[in-house]
Amino acid sequence: LRLCACVCVYGSRVRACVSSCVRLCVCALCVCLCVCVCVVAVNIIIRLFLIEGFWLLVAVLLLGCKGGVSAWTTEERIMERNEVWIKLPFESRAKQMCVVGTATIGEFKNVLSHLVPRFSFSFTHCGRFISGSDTPPACGPENPIILVVKAQGGGGDSSELPTPLLDEFGVAASQVAGAVEPLSPVEGVSEKKALEADMDIALRISKARNLAALIKGDLQQIMDILNSTKKPGNAEDAPSDAAGRSRFKLDVSPPPKKARDAEMDQLVLLGRLEESLLQDLRVPTPEREIRVFLSSTFTDTAEERNKILKDVVPVLQERFAQFGYAFYASEMRWSIREAESDAMETSTICMTELENCQTVSAGLNYVYIACSKYGFRPPPQKIQELVFEKLLAVMSEENQALAKKCYKLDTNSTTTPPQFKSPLPKCGPSRQVREEWDQHDGPQYVLQIGINPWDRFTAIVAALRSAALVVWKDEDSRDPKSQSWLKKFIISVTEEEFCNGALWAKPEEGRTRVKVFKRSFKGGIPPGDAAAKKFIDLIGKEVDVEAQQLLREQQAMIEPDHEWVLPWAPGKGIDTEQHKKYLEEFCDKFVEACCKSLEQALAEEVQPDRVVEEARRHLVFAETRAGKFHNTPTAVRVLASVSKYVHEGLNGKAFVVWGKSGAGKTYIMAKAVWDAAKGSTASNGVCVVRFLGTTADSSKVAHLLDSVVQQLARAYDKENIAIPSDFRDLAELFKTAVTEWPSPDKPLTLVLDSVDQLDDTNCGRMLKWLQVTELPDCVRMVISTLPDYEDDGDKEGFTCHSLLQRSLDDEGCFSQVKDIEDPEAVIRHLLRLLGRTVTDEQMKVLLDSFGSRKEDDIAGTPLWVTLVAHEASRWGSDYQPPPVPSSVRELIMAFFDRLAKLRGELLVCKVLACITLCQDGIAEGELAHVLSLDDKVLRQIYQWWVPSVRVVPCIVITRIFADLRPYLASRGTGSAKAWYHRQFWEAALAWLSKHDPEFKKRVHADLAAYFAGTHHGKPKPYTPALIAKVQEFFPGETEADRLVPANPLLFAGELFNTDAAVVLNERRLAEYVYHCIGAGMQDAVLAELSSPLYITTKFMAGMGTELQLELIAGMRRFPALEQGLGRVKAFIGKHISLCRSPEVPWAVVQAAYNQPDASPVRKGLFDSEETGDVKQEYLGLEERCILWHGRPQSFDPCLLTLPASSTVRCVAYARDGERVAMGCTDGLVTVCSVTTGDVLCSLTGHTDSVSSVAWGPN
């Protein structure tokens, strides 16, 4: 334009015009050059933007709205769906749109699609996809918008992800891979400073190239990025108690497990008691433990035994636990009390424990340490009447008088019927060997405790030995295979252990379960040395030649596995420094033998099948109880009614057996199962039985239904049916399985004993899960229960009987088990099972007590009779018993008194308290650790010896558990034991309160300290009394580590890493908070219950309902915590679906970050809120979470989200405020607990929407 103007105006000035044109061309050229430079620059910017395109856009969005980004991507989602979900927590729709200047979702999607054309985008909000024409909805951290990025072309393998745009612009994939760095916070910027500077560091990615790897689609890089930060709960990081014992070679290579016997498994699942299955059920099954009996004389092997306890046992226990096994070393030095030693019961006690090791150990069970001392040779405690009379016949008159004075005839000992003899362990002596050796059947002469045998010990031993040599003069007492009675008068206790443990083991076992170590001294032991009496048998100061000859003959009977010859250490014999190398080698060989035994035990294992194993346990329980069943008139009547029901049915209804506690319902149910499984329907039907409360999987209704449904699915060929995890769905599937799967060709008999034994989780005792009416003709359901029981303050009551009466509404469906009508017959039957009887005078005392009973005493029931029979089995024929209590409570408390006198009052009090106060019982190993924290208990146990570690020897607990075995059942997890009868639980509480009202609180505190691992790795000082005893053996020692385990919430794995296998500490999850509440530990309760980690693991373990009950219990126990725990409960109630989501385990932590500053759950994330320091267990996890800096500081009024089947139209609270009824548009009325959110029942029948609900006055 300028040029044209110049030509028109200045046409005559051509020269000037040319000059202007040149200048104009130069200007135009410059302008063009500038435009080209700008175009190139824009192109470069666009390319750079496209390289990081989508992620830079997301970053801009987030930086513009103070939000954050969390890439929710898992290996499974990428593999199956080719998509990544991005959480966009915008505070308002205005801020969301302001960055890109769009008004609708569709326009926003167009912008994204233009920038990254090879990916498709969609948005979800509150569980639904948002259409393109919608305006952005209001959202926040609780209801975010989710941006779904999906590769075009749909699903498929991750390798099919299209090449991202960055490759199209020439960026090599190797460059991208090399640029990937772990997610990390912005360096140098703390959360507090970011808030002050109004900066957004919620985007925890410092470089966009990290995000580019996500678009690249490299699966391994994605998982590395998301899981790069070290997570809490890694078992490898935990300090090990065995740090100083790392020299042991703990090589265990588990071989492949054997295949299961499919035919036998099918018989178990169908419940058909064929002969092959019966034989298998009657063989004792070893536990998942290696229990080794240490056999030797005590004084000369003290250093070896101490070394095993101090260095070996902790290491093996830790190593074995990794394979699901327990390890115990049975040390008899602390198992024999003074009274038992005076009564010459040492041999009996040792043989009983040896048989226990042979029965329960899955591998090595006997280790003999052969040294230079033969050991104690006591007279037999019991001698069979015929044998004793043979001995008297060849004695002098003086010796006869001595023998009759020391021994008294007991005619109450009888012959045990063969069918009632307990089965022998697989690895012990054969039945023939045991019967020839233990000829205790029939009347016996018993050594008298009242006459001190030590006064005439030498005389009675010599008299019995000389007489035995005459009676059995033709027998060789040194024949290894001989089980002659002669040996009982010749050999020592140690050799008797040696015979039972090593010589008489079954030939097929060989030496696989036995190890022999031999140690001797070069040049022998000088008898005059001060330490000689500990290492060799002496009479005065001279060597006991006879004992040494017997020792040489004994040791010649078997070849040792390992042998050492050592120099004698003057004044010590064994010196820990001089013989350090020997002691280390000894421990190494011991560890090697135990690890090899574990490998052999693992090699014998079959593929685990939890369903079959659970069904088998209940069949074994039924077989055991049915074998002891006695036909009393009341039992026969009830059993006949059950049998009639099984054969004829009852109009599609279940049949209920009920009676007071201890009435013998379980024995009747066991006999009913036995008859049903062997009856006419057994050949083609299915019999499923559960004795509730006897196993871990039968104590909670959810576990029970899961187990039963899986068994029914396999019995009826429905294995392809998925078992739901949600309890409501599981209960519906259970009803379907019971009512629809059976057929006339394959009927079902379902036996559920003691439904009152269920706990209250999922409202188990409300019985809404149990359909007892409208059963098909091919289904029989037999149930037993107690009468209704009122809440007594310590334990909640139940109304199972009333609920069943209401549901069935037919007295013909019930049969009551009444008192025993012929007590004498039953008592004699039970005594005969124990190989005992009573005199007529003693029986009169028992019958008088039976006749004086009251209704409230629960006397006259099989439980009372059983307790009486066990008490009477201790009576000798010359014993004059006092009146027997007619009350079961008093009878049990008398039993506890006797046990306390026998084992030690404080020890028994602590054991009974732990069994009673633990919710799910307590295991032997756990109990040993708890008792080790009590110095008074340790002082009582250390009567003769002090071990090298301050831990209660397991044999002490084993003996008490053996005394209580008839009254205990497995509960909870692992080998935990709890009372089977409610009467024992109540009696134990009363007995403990009688001794010390505050005792319960102290035991709760000790249990809480154990489950929290409070004393793990820390020395605990001794009390003065324990110091005095310990320093007799270890001068100067005033404190010691009690070797209590750490008890973390996770045993293995990483909780917040979805790819890692997690092993939860279910024992701590079930017990710790409960004991803190019982001990009054207010701060500990608040800290644990408000911990996001605890909340997450509790729900992951399926204990969400228990968690909410713990919160209620905490608020009731501590009024000061009502607000804090109420806020925690409201947090869980509002996010209940999030808590129950296993796919995103860190979701609870994310929700906790979004809580107000005053929230106890948010406080649980930080060590210090002032500095913003996150607790150790959450380090790294905050990199995955959104930090909502503008979050509200007021609490949401929502307390609980209740499940509904459809839109809710009306609600009504019950009068007690504990339940709420909801009417829905689908015609369903749902009743829920306002405490836990559990659905108590669903009422059907409406054909249209329910518009109003109300509760009746009752």
Side-chain angles (χ1 to χ4, degrees):
L1 291 176
R2 183 178 179 183
L3 177 60
C4 294
C6 290
V7 171
C8 293
V9 176
Y10 304 103
S12 60
R13 300 179 61 180
V14 176
R15 186 175 182 178
C17 181
V18 170
S19 177
S20 298
C21 288
V22 170
R23 289 195 299 270
L24 184 60
C25 290
V26 172
C27 292
L29 183 63
C30 292
V31 170
C32 292
L33 183 61
C34 291
V35 170
C36 291
V37 171
C38 291
V39 169
V40 171
V42 169
N43 190 32
I44 292 173
I45 292 173
I46 291 174
R47 291 194 181 198
L48 290 174
F49 188 76
L50 290 177
I51 289 175
E52 305 297 344
F54 168 70
W55 300 109
L56 287 176
L57 176 62
V58 172
V60 170
L61 289 173
L62 295 170
L63 290 172
C65 51
K66 281 191 173 181
V69 61
S70 177
W72 289 0
T73 176
T74 64
E75 181 174 344
E76 179 182 358
R77 184 176 296 282
I78 293 174
M79 293 291 290
E80 294 182 358
R81 302 182 60 179
N82 262 7
E83 62 186 38
V84 178
W85 290 49
I86 308 298
K87 184 176 181 180
L88 303 176
F90 300 108
E91 295 179 22
S92 70
R93 53 177 175 265
K95 283 191 174 182
Q96 175 190 343
M97 294 294 103
C98 69
V99 179
V100 294
T102 61
T104 66
I105 290 293
E107 292 173 358
F108 190 26
K109 289 168 61 177
N110 290 337
V111 172
L112 293 176
S113 299
H114 178 72
L115 291 172
V116 192
R118 304 198 65 175
F119 293 82
S120 63
F121 303 88
S122 57
F123 293 83
T124 69
H125 181 255
C126 296
R128 67 179 185 87
F129 281 91
I130 309 171
S131 67
S133 61
D134 290 346
T135 56
C139 55
E142 302 300 333
N143 53 348
I145 290 180
I146 306 299
L147 173 61
V148 184
V149 186
K150 188 167 184 178
Q152 291 182 357
D157 189 84
S158 62
S159 61
E160 297 176 3
L161 282 170
T163 305
L165 291 178
L166 57 95
D167 279 352
E168 296 179 3
F169 285 85
V171 181
S174 60
Q175 291 177 292
V176 177
V180 173
E181 294 180 3
L183 308 180
S184 60
V186 179
E187 297 181 2
V189 182
S190 68
E191 181 178 351
K192 184 177 180 182
K193 290 181 179 179
L195 289 171
E196 292 173 352
D198 197 24
M199 296 175 59
D200 178 13
I201 63 166
L203 182 61
R204 295 289 183 175
I205 302 169
S206 58
K207 298 181 181 179
R209 59 172 177 250
N210 296 325
L211 293 170
L214 290 174
I215 285 192
K216 174 71 173 99
D218 188 313
L219 188 61
Q220 187 58 49
Q221 290 178 16
I222 291 172
M223 302 316 297
D224 288 344
I225 289 174
L226 292 179
N227 300 318
S228 59
T229 306
K230 197 170 188 65
K231 312 300 185 305
N234 193 338
E236 296 178 0
D237 298 335
S240 172
D241 287 334
R245 313 176 184 102
S246 57
R247 62 181 180 78
F248 291 129
K249 294 181 179 180
L250 300 171
D251 298 331
V252 178
S253 301
K257 297 183 183 295
K258 294 181 178 179
R260 299 187 67 88
D261 186 337
E263 182 179 352
M264 196 69 69
D265 285 354
Q266 190 63 17
L267 289 177
V268 171
L269 292 171
L270 296 175
R272 296 176 184 170
L273 298 178
E274 297 182 5
E275 189 58 36
S276 58
L277 178 58
L278 288 175
Q279 293 179 1
D280 183 66
L281 295 178
R282 288 166 180 161
V283 177
T285 303
E287 304 287 343
R288 287 182 64 83
E289 64 182 55
I290 304 294
R291 187 180 291 267
V292 179
F293 185 91
L294 297 179
S295 177
S296 71
T297 47
F298 293 156
T299 57
D300 60 334
T301 58
E303 294 299 336
E304 288 88 344
R305 288 172 175 263
N306 289 342
K307 199 74 173 174
I308 288 174
L309 290 180
K310 184 177 182 180
D311 292 348
V312 173
V313 171
V315 172
L316 291 180
Q317 287 179 337
E318 182 178 347
R319 180 59 170 159
F320 280 36
Q322 297 174 7
F323 297 93
Y325 274 73
F327 177 81
Y328 300 105
S330 288
E331 249 278 30
M332 302 304 294
R333 285 184 288 179
W334 295 277
S335 68
I336 302 170
R337 296 180 61 80
E338 185 174 1
E340 294 168 326
S341 177
D342 290 345
M344 300 298 166
E345 294 179 358
T346 301
S347 174
T348 302
I349 294 169
C350 291
M351 296 312 116
T352 300
E353 176 56 19
L354 173 56
E355 183 175 342
N356 179 53
C357 291
Q358 293 173 328
T359 301
V360 303
S361 182
L364 184 68
N365 57 54
Y366 178 79
V367 170
Y368 174 53
I369 308 175
C371 295
S372 304
K373 193 170 185 178
Y374 187 58
F376 183 49
R377 291 185 285 167
Q381 190 212 6
K382 297 179 181 179
I383 303 176
Q384 191 180 9
E385 181 183 21
L386 296 177
V387 173
F388 192 81
E389 290 176 354
K390 288 181 180 179
L391 294 172
L392 287 178
V394 298
M395 285 183 182
S396 65
E397 293 184 1
E398 182 181 356
N399 285 344
Q400 286 181 359
L402 176 63
K404 291 180 180 179
K405 189 173 184 179
C406 291
Y407 287 87
K408 294 292 183 181
L409 179 63
D410 177 21
T411 58
N412 280 358
S413 179
T414 63
T415 301
T416 304
Q419 66 270 27
F420 295 128
K421 290 186 177 180
S422 59
L424 291 175
K426 292 182 177 180
C427 51
S430 65
R431 170 67 69 187
Q432 181 180 0
V433 169
R434 181 62 53 84
E435 288 182 344
E436 290 178 1
W437 178 250
D438 292 335
Q439 296 181 33
H440 289 170
D441 286 345
Q444 298 173 346
Y445 279 86
V446 181
L447 189 65
Q448 297 302 291
I449 299 177
I451 302 174
N452 189 348
W454 296 106
D455 295 341
R456 51 187 66 83
F457 175 80
T458 304
I460 188 62
V461 168
L464 291 173
R465 286 178 187 169
S466 59
L469 290 171
V470 174
V471 173
W472 293 285
K473 59 183 178 181
D474 297 330
E475 296 188 17
D476 182 7
S477 65
R478 308 314 289 154
D479 180 2
K481 296 181 181 180
S482 171
Q483 291 93 39
S484 169
W485 257 93
L486 174 61
K487 280 192 171 184
K488 283 187 175 286
F489 303 100
I490 301 296
I491 66 176
S492 65
V493 174
T494 306
E495 184 172 347
E496 187 176 354
E497 297 169 357
F498 175 74
C499 292
N500 281 278
L503 293 185
W504 299 342
K506 294 179 181 178
E508 61 268 23
E509 296 293 339
R511 292 284 295 275
T512 60
R513 298 176 181 268
V514 176
K515 287 295 174 184
V516 178
F517 301 98
K518 186 176 181 180
R519 183 209 70 200
S520 59
F521 292 102
K522 187 176 182 180
I525 300 173
D529 191 281
K533 63 179 181 179
K534 295 182 179 180
F535 292 85
I536 196 171
D537 301 280
L538 298 177
I539 301 177
K541 294 185 178 181
E542 301 295 327
V543 175
D544 186 339
V545 178
E546 181 184 5
Q548 289 296 293
Q549 178 61 30
L550 291 172
L551 177 64
R552 286 191 292 271
E553 293 171 351
Q554 175 194 344
Q555 295 181 357
M557 296 177 187
I558 194 169
E559 287 294 323
D561 295 283
H562 304 283
E563 185 172 2
W564 293 269
V565 179
L566 309 176
W568 174 262
K572 294 184 177 180
I574 293 290
D575 182 82
T576 54
E577 293 299 325
Q578 182 180 348
H579 299 117
K580 180 178 180 181
K581 183 178 179 181
Y582 152 70
L583 291 173
E584 290 180 351
E585 289 181 1
F586 173 82
C587 290
D588 289 341
K589 296 300 181 183
F590 188 93
V591 169
E592 180 184 343
C594 293
C595 290
K596 185 176 180 181
S597 179
L598 176 60
E599 281 190 354
Q600 293 170 346
L602 293 171
E604 291 298 317
E605 286 189 343
V606 297
Q607 294 288 342
D609 191 325
R610 186 170 182 174
V611 178
V612 174
E613 289 162 3
E614 175 71 3
R616 187 182 187 278
R617 291 188 193 99
H618 291 280
L619 288 176
V620 170
F621 190 91
E623 193 274 340
T624 304
R625 294 300 191 274
K628 297 179 180 179
F629 180 79
H630 183 68
N631 286 329
T632 63
T634 184
V636 170
R637 176 182 54 79
V638 175
L639 192 60
S641 62
V642 173
S643 179
K644 181 180 179 181
Y645 166 76
V646 170
H647 288 89
E648 300 177 8
L650 201 60
N651 299 322
K653 295 182 178 180
F655 190 82
V656 179
V657 176
W658 70 284
K660 55 190 177 183
S661 179
K665 299 180 297 297
T666 296
Y667 281 89
I668 293 175
M669 297 290 277
K671 182 64 174 174
V673 168
W674 199 255
D675 294 341
K678 298 184 72 175
S680 58
T681 61
S683 59
N684 62 344
V686 177
C687 182
V688 176
V689 56
R690 292 294 186 271
F691 293 91
L692 307 188
T694 61
T695 65
D697 281 347
S698 65
S699 300
K700 299 180 184 296
V701 65
H703 297 166
L704 170 69
L705 297 189
D706 181 82
S707 171
V708 172
V709 168
Q710 290 197 57
Q711 181 177 348
L712 290 173
R714 293 170 64 174
Y716 286 101
D717 301 322
K718 305 283 186 180
E719 295 182 65
N720 59 335
I721 292 182
I723 308 298
S725 57
D726 182 76
F727 179 75
R728 288 173 294 169
D729 297 335
L730 181 61
E732 287 300 320
L733 181 58
F734 170 72
K735 293 179 180 179
T736 301
V738 171
T739 58
E740 297 181 11
W741 295 354
S743 65
D745 295 332
K746 201 172 185 179
L748 169 66
T749 301
L750 177 61
V751 180
L752 300 176
D753 176 59
S754 303
V755 291
D756 53 88
Q757 288 281 359
L758 292 171
D759 62 19
D760 289 322
T761 57
N762 297 116
C763 303
R765 289 190 286 202
M766 293 291 291
L767 304 183
K768 293 297 182 182
W769 52 271
L770 185 62
Q771 181 170 335
V772 294
T773 58
E774 300 181 1
L775 299 174
D777 291 338
C778 55
V779 174
R780 302 289 185 266
M781 184 183 297
V782 184
I783 305 165
S784 76
T785 182
L786 290 174
D788 292 351
Y789 205 99
E790 295 182 359
D791 192 333
D792 59 4
D794 287 315
K795 207 161 188 176
E796 293 186 8
F798 48 83
T799 57
C800 299
H801 182 248
S802 294
L803 292 170
L804 289 169
Q805 280 183 320
R806 241 176 279 164
S807 299
L808 292 168
D809 194 23
D810 185 351
E811 288 301 322
C813 297
F814 292 82
S815 182
Q816 182 180 3
V817 183
K818 299 181 179 179
D819 289 351
I820 293 174
E821 299 172 7
D822 187 6
E824 182 174 357
V826 178
I827 292 173
R828 292 198 182 278
H829 167 74
L830 294 175
L831 287 171
R832 187 165 63 253
L833 299 183
L834 300 171
R836 302 290 295 175
T837 187
V838 291
T839 64
D840 293 340
E841 292 77 10
Q842 293 169 342
M843 178 59 72
K844 185 177 183 303
V845 173
L846 300 179
L847 296 180
D848 288 344
S849 177
F850 180 86
S852 63
R853 70 189 186 281
K854 299 176 182 178
E855 183 63 27
D856 294 339
D857 290 339
I858 318 182
T861 63
L863 176 59
W864 181 87
V865 173
T866 300
L867 290 168
V868 164
H870 278 93
E871 174 66 20
S873 67
R874 303 173 45 255
W875 298 348
S877 53
D878 59 344
Y879 178 68
Q880 299 296 325
V884 174
S886 61
S887 164
V888 168
R889 171 77 59 86
E890 293 177 4
L891 202 58
I892 295 174
M893 293 178 72
F895 166 65
F896 290 159
D897 288 335
R898 176 168 57 83
L899 195 61
K901 185 177 180 180
L902 178 65
R903 306 287 181 220
E905 182 175 348
L906 184 59
L907 174 64
V908 171
C909 281
K910 202 65 174 285
V911 171
L912 295 181
C914 290
I915 295 173
T916 305
L917 298 180
C918 282
Q919 290 197 113
D920 291 328
I922 191 167
E924 183 177 323
E926 294 173 339
L927 192 51
H929 286 301
V930 174
L931 296 182
S932 299
L933 298 174
D934 192 325
D935 286 6
K936 293 182 179 179
V937 172
L938 291 180
R939 179 61 188 89
Q940 186 181 93
I941 293 173
Y942 298 162
Q943 184 173 3
W944 308 99
W945 304 83
V946 175
S948 53
V949 289
R950 290 319 139 253
V951 178
V952 172
C954 69
I955 182 61
V956 175
I957 313 299
T958 300
R959 294 197 64 194
I960 297 179
F961 268 39
D963 296 327
L964 300 173
R965 186 175 294 121
Y967 316 112
L968 297 176
S970 298
R971 292 284 179 89
T973 307
S975 56
K977 302 294 183 184
W979 297 119
Y980 178 64
H981 284 283
R982 184 185 181 96
Q983 294 296 325
F984 274 86
W985 182 85
E986 294 174 343
L989 283 179
W991 189 76
L992 293 170
S993 299
K994 180 184 73 172
H995 283 72
D996 183 355
E998 293 294 316
F999 188 66
K1000 284 170 50 180
K1001 187 175 180 179
R1002 293 198 299 271
V1003 175
H1004 274 303
D1006 287 347
L1007 288 165
Y1010 165 73
F1011 285 112
T1014 304
H1015 298 284
H1016 171 67
K1018 303 175 184 176
K1020 187 174 184 289
Y1022 302 146
T1023 57
L1026 186 59
I1027 286 178
K1029 185 63 180 180
V1030 169
Q1031 291 189 352
E1032 292 180 12
F1033 294 80
F1034 303 95
E1037 185 174 303
T1038 60
E1039 61 180 16
D1041 185 354
R1042 310 302 170 92
L1043 301 181
V1044 176
N1047 268 329
L1049 285 171
L1050 273 74
F1051 282 134
E1054 301 176 2
L1055 180 63
F1056 302 114
N1057 181 359
T1058 55
D1059 294 335
V1062 173
V1063 180
L1064 300 175
N1065 185 350
E1066 295 188 12
R1067 291 291 294 147
R1068 170 173 173 159
L1069 288 171
E1071 298 287 349
Y1072 174 59
V1073 171
Y1074 169 75
H1075 292 300
C1076 287
I1077 294 173
M1081 300 165 61
Q1082 178 173 303
D1083 294 340
V1085 170
L1086 179 61
E1088 189 79 349
L1089 288 177
S1090 61
S1091 164
L1093 183 65
Y1094 180 74
I1095 294 171
T1096 302
T1097 51
K1098 197 81 170 181
F1099 274 95
M1100 188 173 288
M1103 300 180 182
T1105 300
E1106 290 88 333
L1107 172 59
Q1108 295 178 76
L1109 293 175
E1110 287 174 351
L1111 288 164
I1112 295 295
M1115 287 189 283
R1116 290 174 178 172
R1117 176 67 173 82
F1118 307 111
L1121 297 183
E1122 186 170 354
Q1123 183 185 56
L1125 294 182
R1127 287 174 173 174
V1128 177
K1129 186 175 182 300
F1131 168 82
I1132 295 172
K1134 182 178 180 181
H1135 301 90
I1136 191 71
S1137 59
L1138 199 65
C1139 294
R1140 290 172 175 167
S1141 174
E1143 294 82 8
V1144 190
W1146 60 87
V1148 173
V1149 179
Q1150 171 63 81
Y1153 269 116
N1154 295 339
Q1155 292 298 296
D1157 292 339
S1159 169
V1161 182
R1162 179 177 171 82
K1163 291 179 179 179
L1165 295 169
F1166 303 97
D1167 281 325
S1168 171
E1169 286 193 282
E1170 294 182 358
T1171 61
D1173 295 333
V1174 180
K1175 287 184 178 179
Q1176 177 69 31
E1177 54 263 35
Y1178 306 110
L1179 285 179
L1181 187 61
E1182 74 276 13
E1183 298 176 10
R1184 299 185 182 193
C1185 295
I1186 304 150
L1187 304 183
W1188 186 20
H1189 298 311
R1191 64 188 179 279
Q1193 293 302 313
S1194 60
F1195 287 91
D1196 194 312
C1198 177
L1199 299 180
L1200 184 64
T1201 304
L1202 299 176
S1205 56
S1206 62
T1207 303
V1208 178
R1209 294 200 59 190
C1210 52
V1211 295
Y1213 272 90
R1215 293 173 179 271
D1216 58 8
E1218 296 294 328
R1219 293 161 294 164
V1220 64
M1222 301 178 289
C1224 303
T1225 55
D1226 61 358
L1228 199 66
V1229 175
T1230 304
V1231 181
C1232 293
S1233 166
V1234 298
T1235 300
T1236 65
D1238 290 335
V1239 176
L1240 304 181
C1241 64
S1242 296
L1243 307 178
T1244 59
H1246 292 279
T1247 58
D1248 203 348
S1249 175
V1250 178
S1251 59
S1252 180
V1253 291
W1255 291 82
N1258 61 349

